[in-house]
Amino acid sequence: MSDQLPLVGREGELRAALRALGADGAVLLSGPPGVGKTRLAAEVLAAVPHPVVRCYATVATSRIPLGAFASLVPTDLPAGPHGPSILPASSVRAAAEHLARGGRRVLSVDDAHLLDDASLLVLQHVVRHRLTRVICTARQGWGIEGMTVVHVDALDQDRADALLISALGGPADASTRHLVWTNSQGNPLYLKELVAAGRHSGVLTETQGGWSWRGPLELGGRLAELVDLTLGRLAEPQRRALELLAYGEPLEPELMPVPQDLVDMGFVRIGDDGRARVAHPLYSARLRATCPTLRARAHRRALADRLEAEGADRPGDAVRVATWRLDSGTAESPDVLARAAEQALAAQDWELAERLSRAAVARGATSRVGLVLGLVLMYQRQCAQAEEVLAETMAAGGNMVALLQVGCTRAFNLFFGLGDEAAAIAVLDEVTARELPAELEHAVLFFALTFALESAPLPIARLGGELLIAEGGWAATAGRQVLAFADQFAGRYSEAIARIEDNDEAVVAAAGRFPSLVNAAKGVHNECILRCGDLAGAELRAVRALAEVIEEDRWSVTQVPPRVLLSQSARLRGQAASAVRITAEGIPDSGALPMMWDVLLLAEFAAGAALLGQSDRAERALARAEEGLRPAWRIAGFAVGAARSWVLAGAGRVNEAMQAALDNAADARAHGAHSEEIGSLHDAARFGADTSPRLLELAKSRKDPLTTAYASHAQARALRDPAGLEEVAAAFTACGATLYAAEALAEASRLSRLHDRPREAERLERQASALAESFDGATTPGLVVTSTLAALTPRQLEIARLAVAGLTNVEIAERLAIAKRTVDNHLHTTYAAVGVTGRSGLRALFGQG
């Protein structure tokens, strides 16, 4: 990465500074340190057609009269009677005129807030009398009369992300962008040094999916120096107070009355909730890293003592007390640790929850924290270890509600983590062997139905949903959610969306007790919007969902649904490289045993890589998905089957890809998963099969735009109808599925060329090419075939057409009145150009194989 920061996101400030410099003659770029004032000033100066005189004020020159201007003004200027720092008016005027000599020029003063008094007097004279143009950079709060102030603030998140991409020379994954934004807060200098530190330590590396930060954030090198320089302004009592805040933030006023001078100096900010925080996360990190061990323990002990003295009865207080006690070496109460572990889990702080629960186990509270530890292990994809902990906890017994919670969690882990459906059902049977209140029985049934939705034919899950609805109350809410899932898998997207919207108020009302319902409903809604054909709407919702998951640091597999949806949408738009990058960010390390969601992500990655033409990557990902797939995960299996057909097609094995798609569609149909059937039938049609009868049947009962377009596409291909394909392309374009639109136009162009309508073929080919301009590497058999045919000369195409019609070489020569050798040569070069070995391959290329 270059030492020069790229200028990103400063277009408005640059225009304002240039306008002020031209109109008023003096401009001040004002802002906090590190936001890029000097970089912006350099861009302004590069844009003005005048010579530049540069001055740099520093801490050292601030102690020397005229220190910043020493090399630019006469050395024999008379001093005033009160010393050299107070110049007489004649000397001020002489120095100012000396700075402005030479006609039209620009005086640039960097860090003007560090100017000594004499230099400041000279600068004021230059500005007041407009002797020359002036541009200054300075910290907030500094200024002189007559200068137009352009405020340069920290970048917002979008502009900081753009700067990060520019600094790295390529995209970074979402987690890395969030980490850099959180710790830089949009300060370009901090962002640059964070990147440099990450690359130097090896935690920030470039992968095939983009730049990724894997490891802890450590403050060292230049970044530590910059933060230390800022913190060096603190007196010792101020630093200790800020250290205490760094260990406890955010802190209520009763726990720590904040010295006003720390607020005034910009080291502390008070939130809307009245609680104090260190003004920048890097300040906190550096304070903790440099605090002596004994003093750090004393800070934490003092915080715990103060909070316990206040009662420690607010939500989250148990976590704070337990953590401070643990870190200070004064943690003794297993009950406090267990309660804190539960609160940390509720706050989705997996690392802290594991630490607190293991500390509680070490003090004899295994039965209290077994559920927490089991959940944390599952969240970390350590599903086998989670099963051991949860089985032990369940065997220890407990009250009815505790047993139900542990049992359902254990069953969930067994099914979605380990793929052991029989064991999962056995655990639920054990739970329901006790007499349970109706609401708890309904909760267990809902759990069982989530397994059935994945593994059993859909009518079974639908029946269970109807039974729940008949029970009324919360059970009806859960039942409607089950039916929405069933509608989604059945390809009835409009019905699923209507069911979700009708159920929304009840789901929100139950969110306190059953938060998973909210996420499930959003997932169904988003997926159905995409499959209906509203790509833009689905993308907007998925981007928002992914940002929430990353920002809140939720369980990593909860990133899978929005990632898969965004990747699917990108593929429909021909954005193959984007699809690969989106999925690559979420794929777990190869050593982790994949959970069901990981299999879905691997399958989607494989499909994207195949579309991008990266056959090796696609095959490796597909192999991981197939190896991780469990028989119970039937719906996930159909996604793997769909990816398999595209991996085959990407390797050039189109006939095998067509058969794989047909087989996957048949399996999905038998299960009742018509959503997957529709997709695979359309893929098979794109590979050359006539699946239009079944697709038309499915589309007739569904009527959503994208399914209708699939059916029309298959029908137009089967009828070899260029006009119909052009209409289909318009329908796909309206949905945003420009890859399919380009394929339909390309096929229409191919048919027109074969029917000897070259002008029509060229018009359609131009339309397909215009759509393909937005693609980033997508390659499909339909697009390749058309471009191949377009490369043939008119004579080659004419001879090929006659050969496909069944004429021998002699007959073709007689028909065209040319020599047989000429026909032989043309066919030989045509075979080489289109990549076939004989007439049978040529017939397949012309759609008559």
Side-chain angles (χ1 to χ4, degrees):
M1 185 176 63
S2 170
D3 285 339
Q4 178 74 291
L5 280 172
L7 190 72
V8 173
R10 296 299 192 193
E11 295 80 7
E13 293 93 332
L14 179 59
R15 286 193 299 269
L18 285 168
R19 188 166 53 247
L21 193 62
D24 305 325
V27 62
L28 168 63
L29 304 180
S30 173
V35 294
K37 301 184 296 295
T38 301
R39 178 74 180 86
L40 179 59
E43 287 293 320
V44 173
L45 294 171
V48 297
H50 307 297
V52 178
V53 177
R54 301 178 189 273
C55 304
Y56 304 92
T58 66
V59 172
T61 63
S62 68
R63 302 185 183 95
I64 303 171
L66 293 178
F69 300 144
S71 63
L72 303 172
V73 298
T75 58
D76 56 351
L77 290 172
H82 302 292
S85 62
I86 306 298
L87 295 178
S90 59
S91 294
V92 170
R93 183 168 56 255
E97 290 173 350
H98 206 78
L99 283 174
R101 81 181 189 278
R104 296 168 64 83
R105 62 191 340 193
V106 179
L107 174 65
S108 169
V109 183
D110 198 34
D111 285 337
H113 57 281
L114 296 176
L115 288 172
D116 62 280
D117 291 342
S119 296
L120 183 58
L121 286 173
V122 172
L123 181 63
Q124 286 174 327
H125 187 88
V126 170
V127 172
R128 183 182 305 116
H129 296 282
R130 304 187 71 166
L131 299 181
T132 190
R133 289 179 172 82
V134 176
I135 181 170
C136 295
T137 68
R139 297 275 179 90
Q140 288 172 310
W142 184 91
I144 60 177
E145 186 178 353
M147 300 194 80
T148 300
V149 178
V150 175
H151 294 285
V152 185
D153 297 317
L155 301 173
D156 60 28
Q157 189 164 1
D158 288 340
R159 292 190 295 168
D161 287 347
L163 178 60
L164 177 62
I165 292 171
S166 180
L168 290 171
D173 64 40
S175 297
T176 300
R177 294 196 303 272
H178 178 68
L179 180 145
V180 172
W181 161 253
T182 299
N183 288 281
S184 72
Q185 294 293 291
N187 183 301
L189 182 57
Y190 286 162
L191 185 149
K192 172 194 170 187
E193 295 303 333
L194 278 167
V195 170
R199 295 179 68 175
H200 179 74
S201 65
V203 296
L204 180 59
T205 57
E206 188 173 18
T207 66
Q208 290 181 310
W211 288 87
S212 181
W213 193 296
R214 301 289 176 88
L217 171 61
E218 297 179 356
L219 267 66
R222 173 66 176 156
L223 182 59
E225 291 175 7
L226 286 170
V227 178
D228 286 343
L229 186 64
T230 302
L231 295 176
R233 297 161 51 202
L234 295 168
E236 185 60 23
Q238 292 173 322
R239 187 181 184 96
R240 289 193 178 232
L242 203 59
E243 282 176 354
L244 185 68
L245 181 57
Y247 280 109
E249 64 182 337
L251 286 178
E252 298 79 3
E254 55 269 23
L255 293 183
M256 178 185 172
V258 178
Q260 186 59 42
D261 56 349
L262 289 178
V263 177
D264 295 339
M265 294 171 71
F267 284 105
V268 175
R269 59 184 175 87
I270 308 298
D272 294 338
D273 57 2
R275 298 195 293 178
R277 293 165 174 82
V278 178
H280 199 285
L282 292 182
Y283 300 168
S284 295
R286 189 61 180 161
L287 287 164
R288 292 192 296 268
T290 56
C291 185
T293 301
L294 292 179
R295 197 158 84 205
R297 288 182 177 177
H299 284 323
R300 288 160 168 153
R301 185 168 59 252
L303 288 166
D305 290 343
R306 292 182 190 182
L307 186 52
E308 286 183 330
E310 292 290 330
D313 53 1
R314 290 165 297 201
D317 279 357
V319 173
R320 300 164 79 189
V321 169
T323 305
W324 292 332
R325 290 292 183 206
L326 203 58
D327 290 337
S328 65
T330 59
E332 297 297 337
S333 170
D335 289 335
V336 170
L337 289 168
R339 188 166 69 254
E342 292 166 355
Q343 291 185 6
L345 180 68
Q348 300 178 130
D349 190 336
W350 321 124
E351 183 177 342
L352 180 58
E354 180 179 9
R355 183 175 174 226
L356 292 168
S357 58
R358 290 195 183 280
V361 167
R363 290 163 175 77
T366 304
S367 59
R368 280 284 308 275
V369 294
L371 175 60
V372 173
L373 185 55
L375 279 166
V376 169
L377 290 169
M378 182 179 72
Y379 292 152
Q380 295 173 342
R381 292 187 174 90
Q382 300 177 43
C383 298
Q385 297 92 317
E387 161 59 10
E388 292 179 8
V389 171
L390 292 168
E392 181 182 349
T393 304
M394 194 170 172
N399 62 55
M400 182 186 302
V401 174
L403 179 64
L404 179 72
Q405 289 176 324
V406 174
C408 288
T409 302
R410 184 183 172 196
F412 184 94
N413 179 64
L414 283 164
F415 187 90
F416 292 108
L418 299 174
D420 192 339
E421 182 182 11
I425 296 300
V427 168
L428 291 183
D429 287 343
E430 183 179 345
V431 169
T432 55
R434 293 187 178 190
E435 186 175 345
L436 298 175
E439 185 175 81
L440 298 185
E441 282 189 355
H442 299 154
V444 175
L445 177 57
F446 178 65
F447 256 85
L449 288 173
T450 61
F451 305 160
L453 281 162
E454 184 65 35
S455 63
L458 284 182
I460 294 177
R462 193 176 291 277
L463 176 61
E466 296 287 1
L467 290 173
L468 280 174
I469 290 174
E471 295 293 332
W474 173 84
T477 303
R480 286 189 289 270
Q481 180 63 54
V482 170
L483 294 186
F485 267 120
D487 286 337
Q488 174 196 343
F489 293 149
R492 298 187 176 278
Y493 312 121
S494 299
E495 290 92 329
I497 291 172
R499 207 182 292 275
I500 289 294
E501 291 175 347
D502 291 344
N503 205 33
D504 183 65
E505 288 187 11
V507 166
V508 171
R513 292 177 298 162
F514 306 101
S516 61
L517 277 180
V518 176
N519 294 331
K522 287 181 179 178
V524 171
H525 203 173
N526 296 350
E527 177 77 14
C528 289
I529 288 175
L530 175 74
R531 301 233 179 183
C532 271
D534 181 5
L535 269 64
E539 288 166 354
L540 184 63
R541 295 172 66 95
V543 166
R544 190 161 52 234
L546 182 59
E548 289 175 0
V549 169
I550 293 172
E551 184 175 348
E552 296 175 10
D553 197 22
R554 298 183 201 162
W555 187 18
S556 59
V557 296
T558 60
Q559 295 184 19
V560 170
R563 285 194 185 280
V564 167
L565 190 148
L566 288 170
S567 176
Q568 289 173 342
S569 185
R571 287 196 291 117
L572 288 171
R573 294 187 185 278
Q575 301 292 315
S578 297
V580 168
R581 185 174 63 252
I582 290 164
T583 48
E585 293 176 8
I587 292 176
D589 296 334
S590 58
L593 183 68
M595 301 181 77
M596 188 199 75
W597 298 276
D598 299 324
V599 168
L600 288 170
L601 197 63
L602 284 163
E604 178 57 32
F605 175 84
L611 183 63
L612 191 58
Q614 298 178 343
S615 293
D616 289 344
R617 292 183 78 191
E619 289 171 1
R620 289 195 299 270
L622 180 65
R624 279 189 69 187
E626 291 178 330
E627 182 182 359
L629 187 63
R630 301 291 181 264
W633 303 338
R634 293 289 299 280
I635 299 292
F638 302 139
V640 174
R644 185 182 302 116
S645 65
W646 270 104
V647 172
L648 289 168
R653 298 154 65 183
V654 179
N655 285 336
E656 293 176 62
M658 179 180 68
Q659 190 56 55
L662 290 171
D663 291 343
N664 197 54
D667 291 342
R669 180 178 183 178
H671 188 77
H674 302 303
S675 176
E676 299 298 334
E677 181 192 4
I678 290 167
S680 287
L681 286 174
H682 184 237
D683 285 343
R686 294 163 66 201
F687 298 142
D690 180 10
T691 59
S692 57
R694 177 59 178 162
L695 275 172
L696 287 167
E697 177 187 346
L698 290 165
K700 184 178 180 180
S701 60
R702 284 158 177 81
K703 295 183 173 58
D704 63 84
L706 199 52
T707 301
T708 300
Y710 287 162
S712 299
H713 191 194
Q715 183 181 45
R717 283 185 60 98
L719 295 175
R720 301 169 61 79
D721 176 14
L725 286 165
E726 192 171 1
E727 290 181 8
V728 166
F732 280 136
T733 302
C735 293
T738 44
L739 176 67
Y740 296 163
E743 281 190 5
L745 289 168
E747 175 67 5
S749 173
R750 183 179 77 90
L751 292 171
S752 296
R753 199 173 296 279
L754 296 179
H755 294 160
D756 200 19
R757 296 199 291 267
R759 289 186 179 178
E760 189 73 4
E762 290 171 5
R763 179 182 66 82
L764 293 165
E765 177 66 20
R766 284 195 300 271
Q767 291 181 26
S769 298
L771 289 176
E773 287 180 359
S774 65
F775 299 172
D776 60 359
T779 304
T780 70
L783 296 175
V784 170
V785 166
T786 301
S787 61
T788 300
L789 284 177
L792 297 179
T793 67
R795 177 61 87 180
Q796 287 174 328
L797 187 61
E798 184 179 29
I799 291 172
R801 190 182 298 113
L802 293 172
V804 168
L807 276 67
T808 66
N809 289 13
V810 173
E811 291 170 333
I812 294 171
E814 292 175 351
R815 173 80 64 88
L816 300 178
I818 58 176
K820 176 181 176 295
R821 180 182 295 275
T822 302
V823 174
D824 293 342
N825 289 338
H826 272 304
L827 283 175
H828 179 74
T829 55
T830 297
Y831 294 156
V834 300
V836 300
T837 57
R839 290 184 180 229
S840 61
L842 202 59
R843 283 193 295 272
L845 181 67
F846 276 57
Q848 297 181 17

